[in-house]
C-alpha cells in the first residue's frame, strides 16, 4: 500500500469520526453515534441501503453542513489536508472544453493559466483522456465525463478523495474499467479514499475495508477488512476470496435492512 515517506505529512490523510450525530432541521436522525477511524492511504467503502446516512457522512467529512454532536478530525490535527469531492453527476461546464473543466479549481484558486498548464495536462493524461483536451462535454461518453471529473479533482493534489457513487450511472463494462483505473491512481497518489456505493462487488474489489451502515438511525454496523493484496487485477473479481467477501458484506447488509441474520455459510 502507501509508501509515503515518514515525515510531518504522514497522517494528513487520516480521518477520525467520533460519536457523530446529525439531525436535520425536519427532525430526521441521519446519523447516530457514528464512529469510524480511517488511516492515511486507506481505501474505504461505505455501503448500506438508501437513507442510511452515507452521503451525510461524506458531506460532514468534507465540512459541508454542521454536525449536531461529535467531532471529525482530519489529518494530524495540525496542517489541514486537501480534500476533493467527486459526485455521481460529473457536473461539467457544458460551454467549456476538457482543459477548461479540469482547470476550474486552479482558476478559482487564482493560479495563472500558463502556470497550471502542465498540471492540467498531467491530470488529463492520468485519467486516460489524452487527445480529448479540446472536446466538449456533449462529445464525451458518461465514462469519459466521469474521467474529466476525476481529473478536475486530481489537479488540487488532494490527500483525501471523497467519492459519492461516482460510477453509479455507468454501464458495467465502463464501471469495471474505471474501477481498475481508480485503483491505479490511488496507488500512485497515495490518497485516502472514502467511496460510497450500492454495489457490493465494487466495494469489495476496491476497498481494504468495507463499512456497512444501517438506517433509522444511520450508523455503522459492520467494518469488514478485505484482506487481499493490491494491485488487484481483474481476475480478483472472479476469485473465490472476492466472492466470499461479497457474501459476507451481503449478509451484513441483509441484517442491517431486516434485522435478521443473513446467510454466512462458507464465509471465513
Ligand atoms: P444515503 O446517502 O445513505 O442514501 P443520506 O445521507 O442522503 O443517505 O440521507 C440520510 C437521511 O437523511 C435520509 O432519511 C434522508 O432523507 C435524510 N436527509 C438527507 N438530507 C436531508 C436534508 N437536507 N434535510 C432533511 N433530511 C435529509
Amino acid at each position: 500500500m502507501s509508501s509515503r515517506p515518514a515525515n510531518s505529512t504522514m497522517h494528513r490523510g487520516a480521518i477520525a469520526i467520533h460519536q457523530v450525530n446529525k439531525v436535520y432541521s425536519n427532525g430526521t436522525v441521519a446519523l447516530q453515534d457514528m464512529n469510524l477511524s480511517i488511516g492515511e492511504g486507506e481505501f474505504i467503502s461505505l455501503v448500506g441501503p438508501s437513507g442510511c446516512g452515507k452521503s451525510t457522512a461524506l458531506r460532514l467529512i468534507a465540512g459541508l453542513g454542521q454536525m449536531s454532536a461529535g467531532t471529525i478530525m482530519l489529518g494530524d490535527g495540525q496542517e489541514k489536508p486537501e480534500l476533493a469531492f467527486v459526485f455521481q453527476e460529473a457536473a461539467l461546464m457544458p460551454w467549456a472544453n476538457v482543459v477548461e473543466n479540469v482547470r476550474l479549481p486552479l482558476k478559482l484558486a487564482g493560479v495563472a493559466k500558463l502556470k497550471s498548464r502542465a498540471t492540467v495536462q498531467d491530470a488529463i493524461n492520468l485519467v486516460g483522456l489524452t487527445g480529448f483536451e479540446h472536446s466538449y462535454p456533449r462529445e464525451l461518453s458518461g465514462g469519459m465525463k466521469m474521467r474529466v471529473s476525476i481529473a478536475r479533482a486530481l489537479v488540487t493534489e488532494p490527500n483525501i478523495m471523497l467519492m459519492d457513487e461516482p460510477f453509479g450511472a455507468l454501464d458495467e463494462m465502463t464501471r469495471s474499467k474505471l474501477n481498475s483505473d481508480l485503483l491505479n491512481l490511488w496507488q500512485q497518489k497515495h490518497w485516502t479514499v472514502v467511496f460510497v456505493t450500492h454495489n457490493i462487488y465494487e466495494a469489495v474489489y476496491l476497498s481494504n475495508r468495507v463499512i456497512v451502515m444501517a438506517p433509522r438511525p444511520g450508523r455503522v454496523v459492520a467494518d469488514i477488512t478485505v484482506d487481499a493484496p493490491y494491485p488487484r487485477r481483474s481476475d480478483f473479481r472472479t476469485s473465490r476470496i472476492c466472492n466470499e467477501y461479497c457474501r459476507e458484506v451481503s449478509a451484513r447488509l441483509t441484517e442491517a435492512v431486516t434485522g435478521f441474520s443473513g446467510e454466512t455459510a462458507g464465509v471465513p
Side-chain angles (χ1 to χ4, degrees):
M1 275 208 341
S2 169
S3 57
R4 197 173 285 199
N7 59 26
S8 60
T9 62
M10 192 70 187
H11 302 291
R12 267 187 96 182
I15 303 169
I17 301 174
H18 182 67
Q19 291 293 105
V20 165
N21 290 354
K22 172 69 186 179
V23 185
Y24 283 107
S25 54
N26 64 359
T28 303
V29 183
L31 294 173
Q32 191 168 67
D33 298 337
M34 180 167 180
N35 290 297
L36 185 62
S37 286
I38 302 172
E40 156 115 348
E42 286 202 88
F43 199 123
I44 299 279
S45 285
L46 301 181
V47 300
S50 281
C52 71
K54 303 181 296 294
S55 299
T56 299
L58 217 55
R59 284 200 300 270
L60 290 177
I61 295 170
L64 306 169
Q66 294 244 307
M67 289 170 270
S68 311
T71 56
I72 297 181
M73 199 175 100
L74 301 181
D76 54 10
Q78 292 167 15
E79 208 179 347
K80 215 175 161 291
E82 194 64 47
L83 291 165
F85 213 125
V86 176
F87 300 93
Q88 181 169 345
E89 286 292 324
L92 305 180
M93 302 179 293
W95 60 86
N97 65 18
V98 168
V99 168
E100 289 306 315
N101 269 290
V102 172
R103 195 171 79 84
L104 181 66
L106 300 178
K107 186 176 175 181
L108 294 175
V111 181
K113 201 169 187 169
L114 201 63
K115 221 174 152 204
S116 62
R117 189 173 284 167
T119 312
V120 169
Q121 187 63 52
D122 277 354
I124 291 171
N125 297 346
L126 274 168
V127 298
L129 283 180
T130 315
F132 292 92
E133 290 82 354
H134 301 293
S135 301
Y136 286 84
R138 63 176 179 276
E139 300 168 317
L140 305 175
S141 67
M144 289 162 93
K145 285 184 197 149
M146 192 44 69
R147 289 177 185 277
V148 177
S149 177
I150 294 171
R152 190 176 51 193
L154 262 169
V155 294
T156 65
E157 297 187 13
N159 307 97
I160 298 174
M161 186 72 103
L162 305 171
M163 308 186 87
D164 197 352
E165 287 197 69
F167 310 142
L170 304 178
D171 63 83
E172 201 49 45
M173 290 290 283
T174 307
R175 179 198 285 251
S176 179
K177 178 78 178 94
L178 277 161
N179 281 169
S180 312
D181 291 354
L182 175 62
L183 273 191
N184 287 336
L185 277 173
W186 167 69
Q187 291 210 281
Q188 275 182 58
K189 297 288 178 186
H190 309 293
W191 302 315
T192 302
V193 181
V194 187
F195 189 96
V196 168
T197 179
H198 278 108
N199 187 308
I200 295 173
Y201 279 93
E202 180 174 62
V204 169
Y205 173 71
L206 292 173
S207 316
N208 69 298
R209 273 163 73 201
V210 178
I211 309 299
V212 181
M213 295 180 66
R216 285 175 292 280
R219 63 206 186 280
V220 172
V221 291
D223 182 342
I224 298 163
T225 297
V226 180
D227 190 8
Y230 294 96
R232 293 179 185 166
R233 315 231 177 265
S234 54
D235 55 0
F236 175 68
R237 292 173 199 280
T238 49
S239 67
R240 186 186 58 85
I241 182 132
C242 179
N243 204 24
E244 283 172 354
Y245 279 118
C246 289
R247 285 175 62 190
E248 184 176 359
V249 173
S250 171
R252 296 284 93 82
L253 265 172
T254 306
E255 257 174 61
V257 177
T258 64
F260 295 108
S261 248
E263 197 261 309
T264 55
V267 171

